[in-house]
Amino acid sequence: MEPVTKVDTFATHAAAASPTTVVGGSLVILPHAEEVELCRGSVPMAICSTTGRLNRRATNTTTGGDSSSKENEEGIDHASAAASPSPDTASQQQRSTAITTQVAAAVSAHRRAGVSKQVEYKCYDVFGFRVSEEEKAGEYLERRSGHGAAESLRTWESVVAHWPSVRPGKLKEYCRRGVPQPKRGAVWQRLLRSWGMKEQHPGEYARLRSQPLASADVEGVIERDLDRTFPTHRLFDEDGAGHGQQMLRSILRAYANYNVGVGYCQGMGFLAATLILQVEVEEDAFWAFAAVMEDKRYNMKAIFAPGFPQLQCTFRVFEALMRKRLPELYVHLHDRHQIHPSFYAVHWFMTVFTYYFNFGLVSRIWDMFLCEGWKPVYRIALALLKLEERRLLSLTTETELLLALKAIQESKQPVELLKTALKIKFKSAYVNKLVAEFNAQGK
């Protein structure tokens, strides 16, 4: 098994992360393939999958050698450190390891039970993703029953034509209603302020794309991630050789040269691919991706920077909002069962929901995200919990809760989720205050 390099996964940066991202300093949920990292203190010990499939083991940088391991009956490799841990740390790790094993067993059993119910995905939806015939029929009926599509398109054509004079409040209102798909590419570039960047920087993208990367490790990780990103989309389903993979490879390489300090980290590919599918022109998609990473309204580069400072900040803000808007559920998860957002919300915030939801819902969320920043992202996250609050409160074990949280985004109706999210009220000033407090503590 290969050691984890600096750019390979969430694991390496997590070693430098504060305890707020880890329960008991021993378990971190990773942003790919249902992976978890088992730690002892700040040392990454093993990277495993909650499906029971061993992925990678981290190098024990403290002892200078690989950590030893013992594979249990579920196939999860639990590594042990050379140095003896304190009783408290050992107890925390045993608890986290036991929970992880139980979740792995439950997930594996659930998947084995579902093997006989496999669905054939023969059709493509309006965005280009493979779907079942039933899903395609539902999409057709939904489009037939929609009202005001032509009027909405005319409205957005006018908005784009008169962009500098559109009032921010009116733009926010329109984005919350949703941008028509034919106009999304143009609207998103304007929201990102990346429109026309290639004309302002002629030849810059070509130079960045062709420039050798600072590390061979970065290139290797990018290549490994290409076939993990939207593999059911017609642009990305040709085993790494498709047009989508070529565009994604070029954009990720260019950004790794554009911001060497961030380079590349797993999860970034989903952001870039989302923009590729909407912006379509490769160079425009690169500048859009650079904007979502660099612009202070989104600051996604800090999500992926060493130590994951922005990710830790989003957890802190989310917990505070949850305590304020869902107090009973907060006590149930956080106080009673010590289940923190790092157990279930990493994917939500690192990929801005692109990892889980169908692309139609992702596009609606991004309409608001690119217009307003992080506020609608927190609203969607809170809405997911609110819609399942009663069921979550009825669960009494960590394993049951983690399984429910793991699947919480499944089968959500986009209209219901968006309506619920927009009804959750909190002030932007409150979020800004929480962010400022977090940043002040880190200085």
Side-chain angles (χ1 to χ4, degrees):
M1 288 175 290
E2 58 189 344
V4 176
T5 65
K6 181 177 181 181
V7 294
D8 195 15
T9 65
F10 180 53
T12 307
H13 294 340
S18 78
T20 59
T21 63
V22 185
V23 175
S26 57
L27 180 65
V28 177
I29 305 300
L30 302 183
H32 257 303
E34 300 150 312
E35 292 168 340
V36 297
E37 177 194 358
L38 302 176
C39 300
R40 180 159 291 137
S42 63
V43 180
M45 302 306 303
I47 301 173
C48 309
S49 167
T50 55
T51 62
R53 173 180 56 82
L54 179 66
N55 290 318
R56 292 177 291 277
R57 185 184 299 123
T59 300
N60 187 334
T61 55
T62 300
T63 62
D66 288 342
S67 55
S68 60
S69 65
K70 179 180 179 181
E71 185 168 304
N72 69 6
E73 61 183 1
E74 297 301 330
I76 294 184
D77 193 316
H78 301 296
S80 59
S84 298
S86 67
D88 288 344
T89 303
S91 176
Q92 289 281 9
Q93 181 163 357
Q94 288 171 3
R95 173 182 174 273
S96 295
T97 300
I99 293 171
T100 305
T101 303
Q102 293 168 29
V103 172
V107 171
S108 297
H110 175 74
R111 292 193 171 185
R112 286 194 297 270
V115 167
S116 61
K117 301 178 182 179
Q118 289 183 352
V119 178
E120 291 188 9
Y121 296 93
K122 299 179 178 179
C123 309
Y124 286 94
D125 67 10
V126 67
F127 300 102
F129 287 87
R130 285 199 303 273
V131 295
S132 66
E133 292 179 348
E134 182 180 359
E135 289 171 321
K136 185 65 178 177
E139 177 188 73
Y140 176 73
L141 290 173
E142 183 179 345
R143 291 168 65 190
R144 282 288 301 272
S145 62
H147 298 290
E151 181 181 350
S152 176
L153 189 58
R154 286 194 296 271
T155 297
W156 277 101
E157 286 173 346
S158 176
V159 168
V160 170
H162 303 90
W163 190 265
S165 61
V166 179
R167 297 194 308 274
K170 184 60 70 174
L171 184 61
K172 181 170 69 174
E173 177 187 333
Y174 289 154
C175 286
R176 288 182 177 182
R177 293 179 188 173
V179 181
Q181 181 58 23
K183 304 304 295 183
R184 272 205 172 99
V187 170
W188 282 16
Q189 289 180 80
R190 285 165 173 80
L191 290 170
L192 286 162
R193 301 168 189 165
S194 66
W195 183 262
M197 288 293 287
K198 66 181 178 184
E199 286 78 19
Q200 297 175 33
H201 302 276
E204 180 70 2
Y205 173 63
R207 182 187 68 80
L208 291 167
R209 182 182 59 186
S210 59
Q211 180 180 323
L213 293 172
S215 167
D217 291 333
V218 176
E219 187 155 17
V221 178
I222 289 174
E223 289 299 317
R224 285 198 295 275
D225 276 358
L226 292 178
D227 62 355
R228 298 180 177 186
T229 307
F230 293 158
T232 61
H233 193 278
R234 54 168 38 118
L235 271 180
F236 295 92
D237 65 357
E238 298 181 33
D239 299 323
H243 182 53
Q245 274 92 354
Q246 294 173 26
M247 292 175 68
L248 185 59
R249 177 187 294 112
S250 296
I251 288 171
L252 295 177
R253 283 178 54 91
Y255 183 77
N257 284 323
Y258 184 79
N259 189 330
V260 179
V262 174
Y264 176 76
C265 181
Q266 286 183 347
M268 289 166 58
F270 284 95
L271 306 179
T274 297
L275 292 164
I276 286 172
L277 295 184
Q278 297 291 9
V279 176
E280 296 181 347
V281 176
E282 182 180 313
E283 186 169 355
D284 290 336
F286 165 75
W287 289 112
F289 177 61
V292 84
M293 294 293 290
E294 303 286 331
D295 193 301
K296 291 182 179 179
R297 293 172 296 165
Y298 321 112
N299 201 25
M300 292 302 296
K301 68 178 180 182
I303 286 279
F304 297 100
F308 296 94
Q310 182 71 13
L311 182 61
Q312 297 174 61
C313 183
T314 60
F315 289 155
R316 182 75 63 84
V317 172
F318 182 58
E319 283 192 314
L321 292 171
M322 187 179 170
R323 186 167 58 243
K324 198 177 184 72
R325 289 289 167 252
L326 300 170
E328 188 178 1
L329 185 58
Y330 174 84
V331 170
H332 186 63
L333 292 178
H334 186 278
D335 296 347
R336 191 169 298 134
H337 293 285
Q338 293 79 52
I339 294 177
H340 301 258
S342 59
F343 268 62
Y344 58 88
V346 172
H347 302 76
W348 301 354
F349 299 134
M350 283 195 87
T351 69
V352 195
F353 294 107
T354 59
Y355 188 80
Y356 279 124
F357 289 137
N358 73 71
F359 199 72
L361 179 54
V362 166
S363 298
R364 288 293 306 277
I365 293 171
W366 275 55
D367 290 343
M368 297 185 291
F369 170 57
L370 298 184
C371 180
E372 302 178 49
W374 277 89
K375 187 173 182 177
V377 178
Y378 292 126
R379 278 178 154 166
I380 293 292
L382 290 168
L384 283 171
L385 296 181
K386 185 173 181 61
L387 289 171
E388 296 292 333
E389 183 176 19
R390 184 174 299 179
R391 184 167 72 94
L392 290 170
L393 289 171
S394 71
L395 302 178
T396 58
T397 70
E398 288 93 340
T399 301
E400 290 176 323
L401 285 164
L402 287 171
L403 281 171
L405 289 164
K406 176 182 174 59
I408 198 170
Q409 68 286 332
E410 294 179 3
S411 303
K412 290 293 179 290
Q413 296 299 318
V415 173
E416 181 185 20
L417 179 62
L418 292 167
K419 282 185 176 180
T420 302
L422 290 174
K423 289 178 181 177
I424 298 174
K425 304 297 183 182
F426 53 86
K427 297 289 187 181
S428 298
Y430 178 64
V431 173
N432 294 337
K433 176 176 175 288
L434 293 170
V435 172
E437 289 174 352
F438 178 87
N439 291 334
Q441 290 175 1
K443 292 181 179 178

